Amino acid sequence: MGTGAAPPTSMAVDGSTNGFVCYCTNGAHLHGFFLVSETLLCGQTAAGSWLHCGYHLTTSIVAPALLSLPFAFASLGWVPGVLFLVIGAAVTFYSYNLLSLVLEHHAQLGRRQLRFRDMAHDILGPRWGRFYIGPIQFSVCFGAVIGAALLGGQSMKSIYLIARPDGMMKLYEFVVIFGAFMLILAQIPSFHSLRHINLISLMLCLAYSACATAGSIHAGHSSTAPPRDYSLPSDSQDRVFGVFNAIAIVATTFGNGIIPEIQATAAPPVTGKMFKGLCLCYTIVVMTFFSVAISGYWAFGNRAQGSITANFILQDGSILVPKWFLMMTNVFVLLQLAAVGVVYLQPTNEVLEGLFADPTKDQYSTRNVVPRLIFRSLSIVIATLIAAMLPFFGDLNAVIGAFGFLPLDFTVPSVLYNITFKPSRRSFIFWLNVAIAAVFSMLAVLGSISAVRQVILDAKTYKLFANV
């Protein structure tokens, strides 16, 4: 992507490539590579079923960020909180399906697009792919890797303090340990190769969401729980900015940013596979997001913290749920975070390996294994270092949502659909898409302002390698 060349017009899947999709414009024999617009997508396979798409979608959306939903409710209140959660679910399901339909349309024309910036290149023009979609997607995905490393370290620290309340290890030490674990998983060669890990991830998200819900209900009925208060901030300015910050958090929770990359793992014909995968994913979304958000806010009100599991431990060190239960919940979160981090590392892998891999060699050859090992390891090391230096996930979550997920997942799909299919300006779907794009563009701007304001307000508490 980014060369300005016309996309290739043919796709071949045969035994010579061991199930790997190769776009060939010059008849070259490629081993385990996509060739799109003369750019290589290394180590990708197109052999997945709709179930595999569902596993990938669930891991990328139903992640531990959902544990921050009660915190978002604390700035919204009951009715707006539930309303925005319903709107977020409906609009993202609709938008992701629009993206899938656009991808299917181009695949039927013989121009299967495998990356988000390929879509922007073909539909909006080369500059949109190179200077807007590409950078935003990279920032969102690498930010998610940083967030996964940070949350993984926090989960490990929670487990450690439950077992050893007087322990002296610092948060950044746990972040480094978890980063080492992600570094190992990052060497899995392709997105499709993650399908079994992402099935386990799906079960893990159900497990810790059930634990968070049950723990909140148990804590809410505990005599030692803090009094519940559902009031909103009295200062009107704080209340307004709090609302937009909460919207950004909700957007991040529903965010994906890699729909084309996930659909690229599906074996042709791709028609209908992503819709089935989305149905599976959003069944899990409804089961987890609403139960965690409602139970957590009910139990702790406006005291809900950035991760609801943090509310299970009171300031005096007492725990509102059994220690083994809290430890088990953190283990489930910890394990899924590794899968989430590796999934969102895929666009970074593709960019780096497209630059340094050799398409004439097999993906398991020394020539391609060595750069893959070096650059994937380097990516994890950088993400881990940033997470250890700046351990403030709540603010990071809102900034990522406002700058990245709101435009990428709420606004862009409607624009791409209208340009591709050109529905009549008198049709309902045209104006629905225009309305979605306009409303969420404004929310992206306002959410960005609010998120940056919150970072500035909290800057006085920031400290490199803080032990929070």
Side-chain angles (χ1 to χ4, degrees):
M1 171 46 222
T3 63
T9 58
S10 63
M11 177 181 71
V13 181
D14 56 37
S16 65
T17 57
N18 297 320
F20 288 80
V21 176
C22 302
Y23 282 82
C24 303
T25 55
N26 59 4
H29 181 64
L30 305 181
H31 300 266
F33 292 82
F34 284 120
L35 183 58
V36 181
S37 299
E38 299 177 0
T39 300
L40 296 170
L41 304 189
C42 306
Q44 297 283 13
T45 62
S49 66
W50 69 268
L51 275 174
H52 298 151
C53 292
Y55 303 158
H56 300 321
L57 286 164
T58 303
T59 297
S60 60
I61 297 175
V62 190
L66 71 90
L67 298 176
S68 66
L69 287 174
F71 175 73
F73 269 44
S75 296
L76 295 170
W78 275 115
V79 175
V82 173
L83 180 62
F84 276 113
L85 204 57
V86 171
I87 291 173
V91 173
T92 52
F93 181 88
Y94 174 75
S95 297
Y96 296 154
N97 190 51
L98 291 185
L99 279 179
S100 178
L101 292 174
V102 172
L103 289 164
E104 289 177 4
H105 175 74
H106 284 273
Q108 291 169 357
L109 296 176
R111 297 165 59 177
R112 188 173 180 186
Q113 299 159 331
L114 309 174
R115 303 173 301 188
F116 222 134
R117 63 183 182 276
D118 292 331
M119 297 183 71
H121 179 281
D122 286 356
I123 300 170
L124 301 175
R127 292 186 178 181
W128 283 94
R130 180 181 296 177
F131 300 114
Y132 182 69
I133 299 298
I136 285 183
Q137 186 193 37
F138 180 83
S139 300
V140 163
C141 291
F142 199 69
V145 177
I146 296 170
L150 175 56
L151 281 178
Q154 290 176 340
S155 295
M156 291 187 73
K157 183 185 175 184
S158 297
I159 295 169
Y160 171 74
L161 291 178
I162 293 170
R164 298 184 61 183
D166 298 326
M168 301 299 293
M169 289 184 68
K170 308 298 184 183
L171 174 60
Y172 64 83
E173 296 176 86
F174 293 106
V175 172
V176 171
I177 294 171
F178 185 76
F181 178 47
M182 282 208 305
L183 189 147
I184 295 171
L185 287 181
Q187 307 310 321
I188 295 175
S190 71
F191 207 150
H192 181 64
S193 301
L194 294 171
R195 62 193 182 281
H196 301 114
I197 290 177
N198 287 342
L199 171 59
I200 297 172
S201 169
L202 185 153
M203 293 186 287
L204 287 169
C205 73
L206 288 172
Y208 68 68
S209 297
C211 289
T213 301
S216 295
I217 294 172
H218 177 83
H221 287 100
S222 173
S223 59
T224 58
R228 291 193 287 271
D229 182 6
Y230 302 112
S231 63
L232 299 175
S234 56
D235 183 84
S236 58
Q237 185 179 18
D238 289 342
R239 186 183 304 174
V240 170
F241 280 108
V243 167
F244 291 119
N245 197 49
I247 292 172
I249 291 174
V250 173
T252 303
T253 308
F254 281 104
N256 181 282
I258 51 175
I259 291 292
E261 287 79 1
I262 291 175
Q263 187 153 330
T265 67
V270 297
T271 304
K273 289 183 179 178
M274 277 294 281
F275 179 76
K276 293 179 181 178
L278 282 168
C279 289
L280 170 62
C281 173
Y282 273 77
T283 299
I284 307 299
V285 164
V286 172
M287 293 170 62
T288 55
F289 282 35
F290 287 86
S291 60
V292 170
I294 293 172
S295 64
Y297 185 56
W298 169 80
F300 301 105
N302 58 20
R303 297 175 184 266
Q305 299 187 40
S307 175
I308 196 61
T309 55
N311 285 95
F312 297 162
I313 304 176
L314 300 179
Q315 291 183 346
D316 61 4
S318 59
I319 303 178
L320 294 174
V321 296
K323 285 186 176 181
W324 63 266
F325 182 87
L326 183 56
M327 184 176 292
M328 178 179 68
T329 304
N330 278 289
V331 168
F332 291 151
V333 171
L334 178 69
L335 293 175
Q336 204 224 8
L337 280 167
V340 172
V342 174
V343 163
Y344 277 103
L345 190 64
Q346 298 305 308
T348 304
N349 293 343
E350 176 268 309
V351 170
L352 293 174
E353 290 164 30
L355 292 173
F356 298 102
D358 184 350
T360 64
K361 305 290 185 182
D362 187 84
Q363 68 162 339
Y364 296 108
S365 67
T366 303
R367 171 63 181 81
N368 289 323
V369 168
V370 171
R372 181 165 69 232
L373 178 64
I374 292 173
F375 289 107
R376 292 189 183 194
S377 300
L378 183 61
S379 298
I380 293 294
V381 168
I382 293 172
T384 301
L385 178 62
I386 295 173
M389 289 176 61
L390 304 171
F392 302 97
F393 180 71
D395 290 343
L396 178 65
N397 204 18
V399 171
I400 291 173
F403 279 102
F405 284 122
L406 270 170
L408 204 61
D409 292 331
F410 290 79
T411 301
V412 172
S414 297
V415 175
L416 294 178
Y417 182 91
N418 276 5
I419 293 175
T420 298
F421 292 102
K422 297 179 174 58
S424 169
R425 296 200 174 193
R426 297 180 179 179
S427 66
F428 172 76
I429 193 169
F430 175 86
W431 289 107
L432 175 62
N433 291 342
V434 168
I436 290 173
V439 169
F440 284 96
S441 293
M442 290 188 291
L443 288 177
V445 173
L446 295 173
S448 298
I449 295 171
S450 178
V452 171
R453 173 183 178 271
Q454 192 61 45
V455 169
I456 295 172
L457 291 176
D458 293 342
K460 59 181 178 292
T461 66
Y462 288 176
K463 182 180 177 182
L464 293 180
F465 298 100
N467 185 36
V468 296

